[in-house]
């Protein structure tokens, strides 16, 4: 099965990680209901304050629709003052069944 994986690493400004996590809850809930979404998680680093969204999408079109969605756009606006930097990787993947 082919799919799209997104690793979106967010580096919060000092003291802002919990605010981003709180704002993320609505984004995650709404995204998991989207057509074409396979999985959507937010992980906290044990080494620093970084947060990583780990996303799986059926198609690139589904990912593009997500990025245009009201809840994604709202998340970006609500967190813009809390984020120092971001690193986003979009990976085309094929599942390996071992």
């Amino acid at each position: 099965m082919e799919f799209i994986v997104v690793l979106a690493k967010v580096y919060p400004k000092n003291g802002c990680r919990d605010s981003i996590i709180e704002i993320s809850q609505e984004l995650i809930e709404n995204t998991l209901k989207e057509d074409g979404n396979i999985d959507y998680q937010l992980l906290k680093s044990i080494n620093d304050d970084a947060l990583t969204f780990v996303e799986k999408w059926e198609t690139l079109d589904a990912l593009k629709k997500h990025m245009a969605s009201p809840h994604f756009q709202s998340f970006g606006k609500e967190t813009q003052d809390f984020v120092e930097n971001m690193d986003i990787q979009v990976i085309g993947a094929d599942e390996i069944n071992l």
Side-chain angles (χ1 to χ4, degrees):
M1 173 176 125
E2 292 182 18
F3 53 91
I4 305 296
V5 174
V6 177
L7 301 173
K9 195 164 188 178
V10 178
Y11 299 92
K13 291 181 180 176
N14 191 27
C16 293
R17 182 169 83 167
D18 289 344
S19 296
I20 295 171
I21 292 170
E22 185 177 322
I23 296 167
S24 298
Q25 291 177 9
E26 184 176 340
L27 171 69
I28 294 166
E29 289 173 14
N30 287 323
T31 300
L32 288 170
K33 297 174 188 173
E34 287 183 50
D35 288 337
N37 179 260
I38 300 169
D39 195 23
Y40 202 88
Q41 299 180 37
L42 179 60
L43 307 177
K44 305 191 285 191
S45 173
I46 59 172
N47 299 317
D48 56 24
D49 277 349
L51 299 165
T52 303
F53 286 93
V54 180
E55 312 172 26
K56 285 176 70 176
W57 296 93
E58 291 177 3
T59 64
L60 189 55
D61 284 342
L63 173 58
K64 288 178 181 179
K65 287 179 184 176
H66 164 67
M67 293 174 67
S69 70
H71 51 271
F72 182 81
Q73 296 294 318
S74 176
F75 172 79
K77 289 176 185 169
E78 290 181 50
T79 59
Q80 67 185 1
D81 292 335
F82 302 132
V83 175
E84 185 72 38
N85 199 3
M86 291 184 72
D87 178 31
I88 302 172
Q89 295 178 303
V90 179
I91 304 162
D94 194 10
E95 187 173 19
I96 300 173
N97 294 309
L98 302 175

